[in-house]
Amino acid sequence: MTADAPLVRIPADLLPRDGRFGCGPSKVRPEQVDALSAAGRTLLGTSHRQAPVRALVGRVRAGLRALFDLPADHEVVLGNGGSTMFWDVAAACLVERRAQHATFGEFGAKFAAATTGAPFLLDPDVRTAAPGSVALPVAVEGVDAYAWPHNETSTGAMAPVVRPAGTEGALALVDATSAAGGLAVDVRETDVYYFAPQKSFASDGGLWLALASPAAVERAARLERDRPGADGTPGGRWVPGSLSFTAALTNSRADQTLNTPAIGTLVLLAEQVEWLLDRGGLAWAAARTAASAAHLYGWAESRPWAAPFVADPAHRSTVVGTVDLDPAVPAAAVIATLRAHGVVDVDPYRKLGRNQLRVGMFPAVDPEDVRALTACVDHVVDHL
Ligand SMILES: *Cc1c(COP(=O)(O)O)cnc(C)c1O
């Protein structure tokens, strides 16, 4: 320990076997790293236009299709730039005139900022709810795309994924960045269920992935047509190639990406998708995160100095748990003590500014380790 190490020492037998509880990047299983090491001698450093890397992209696409039980006419699309880039792709290619955003934290608000900034769109209809609760989309005349997060990673609140009534013809765009792979979902309730691989999929950052309905594919094709057609159909809008949903789709269908992807990210992702499938798929994954969450929230409710941040139990995320601490128990000291023992990244979302612990309980995280974590917190609080 360093000179300014915390005074409390946590006994080694209380520590989790793996101390990574971050909400993205999140714990990567050692077996994934072993697979990466093996791939390191064959796939890394080779062309993404050749069969071996294309087969790897194919594994990811087929695996996600199976994991989400994707309807035959839906497509798995991927591109570079993470979910943040996908917000710009969606603003450019999927929102026709006006979006509605149900926002209840930082990530939902960031997508709303993207469509607000787009000069070719009307200002979006933004429905906000206080952090720790959820806002839901509702049909509004003139809105052609409804956007909300399945799981708000900044607050630990999860929302139902149900297409709002009376919105036929509009698209449902669901940010599943931290949810996908750890929460149950019926993707038929969405037109685009999009995510990045560094949360429930235990991979590295840099990619976006989108499960897209035929309506989403058609919408993008129509809006992206940038010149009037020979038959007199009007031109659409100019979309930069790197933001083109249709260009990403065309490449994805050939198991490629528009430009060079991080091959290591794809290896880790393919391994995790197949690991989930081998264990029983999304139902197994959702049960595992629910087991972790039941322990975490039950523990928080049973301690006089702790409480779940999300008031409504139905909205308490099973993949990102947030626990408020009493002001007499400084979270910063608890977090620093844990970190000094290799138990890391239970910090609250920086802009939320609460005296809080935030715990990633993605499928890669062993529920036993969540139990160990709370035992460690008990020990630290008892000895502070
Ligand atoms: C992490 C996160 C993002 C941003 O993902 P990047 O890949 O870093 O762009 C967006 N939405 C949600 C819900 C997230 O948790």
Side-chain angles (χ1 to χ4, degrees):
M1 290 195 206
T2 54
D4 55 0
L7 295 176
V8 177
R9 247 188 49 87
I10 305 175
D13 61 351
L14 287 187
L15 294 172
R17 270 175 303 172
D18 195 300
R20 290 172 290 178
F21 294 99
C23 290
S26 62
K27 177 189 168 186
V28 178
R29 290 178 305 105
E31 295 80 5
Q32 290 170 278
V33 180
D34 293 344
L36 182 60
S37 171
R41 299 178 196 288
T42 52
L43 288 174
L44 299 191
T46 72
S47 170
H48 57 296
R49 303 294 177 207
Q50 296 298 327
V53 175
R54 289 173 67 176
L56 173 64
V57 174
R59 270 173 68 196
V60 168
R61 295 182 68 234
L64 291 173
R65 177 170 288 284
L67 189 68
F68 290 97
D69 191 18
L70 218 56
D73 57 0
H74 282 51
E75 307 215 37
V76 180
V77 188
L78 70 163
N80 283 312
S83 290
T84 300
M85 183 72 82
F86 191 78
W87 291 326
D88 295 331
V89 172
C93 307
L94 296 171
V95 181
E96 182 153 12
R97 283 170 55 78
R98 190 173 192 221
Q100 180 186 91
H101 298 269
T103 79
F104 41 97
E106 277 297 317
F107 291 107
K110 284 182 180 175
F111 187 17
T115 62
T116 304
F120 45 86
L121 298 177
L122 299 174
D123 278 347
D125 177 29
V126 182
R127 304 184 164 243
T128 56
S133 60
V134 308
L136 294 176
V138 282
V140 163
E141 186 70 37
V143 166
D144 55 70
Y146 292 83
W148 72 100
H150 189 178
N151 189 75
E152 181 46 81
T153 318
S154 67
T155 67
M158 62 181 185
V161 176
V162 179
R163 203 182 280 281
T167 61
E168 290 70 28
L171 299 182
L173 311 176
V174 174
D175 181 350
T177 306
S178 52
L183 300 184
V185 69
D186 177 0
V187 294
R188 290 164 190 78
E189 295 289 335
T190 71
D191 291 291
V192 184
Y193 191 71
Y194 64 90
F195 47 93
Q198 72 275 20
K199 304 197 180 177
S200 268
F201 286 111
S203 180
D204 232 339
L207 280 182
W208 59 259
L209 298 114
L211 312 179
S213 75
V217 169
E218 282 161 27
R219 170 80 62 92
R222 182 162 54 79
L223 295 183
E224 291 186 53
R225 194 176 50 220
D226 63 348
R227 296 202 171 73
D231 58 354
T233 46
R237 60 177 70 129
W238 174 73
V239 172
S242 60
L243 296 183
S244 167
F245 182 83
T246 304
L249 174 69
T250 306
N251 279 280
S252 300
R253 284 174 174 163
D255 290 332
Q256 300 194 53
T257 44
L258 178 69
N259 61 322
T260 316
I263 295 171
T265 297
L266 289 164
V267 172
L268 296 172
L269 172 58
E271 289 294 319
Q272 187 67 358
V273 169
E274 289 165 8
W275 182 77
L276 292 171
L277 284 169
D278 285 347
R279 270 153 194 78
L282 212 47
W284 178 84
R288 182 167 160 98
T289 66
S292 291
H295 170 72
L296 182 77
Y297 296 126
W299 166 81
E301 283 177 324
S302 69
R303 297 294 181 271
W305 40 263
F309 171 49
V310 176
D312 183 343
H315 294 146
R316 284 177 195 158
S317 171
T318 66
V319 283
V320 173
T322 45
V323 174
D324 275 350
L325 300 184
D326 187 275
V329 179
V334 175
I335 291 164
T337 306
L338 291 171
R339 177 166 280 279
H341 291 82
V343 180
V344 302
D345 295 342
V346 293
D347 313 58
Y349 190 76
R350 57 203 146 85
K351 286 193 208 150
L352 199 57
R354 295 187 74 89
N355 192 47
Q356 184 178 89
L357 305 177
R358 183 176 61 148
V359 181
M361 301 177 289
F362 301 118
V365 173
D366 189 335
E368 278 306 310
D369 279 346
V370 177
R371 290 179 182 280
L373 168 66
T374 57
C376 288
V377 175
D378 282 341
H379 179 88
V380 173
V381 172
D382 283 350
H383 292 82
L384 270 181

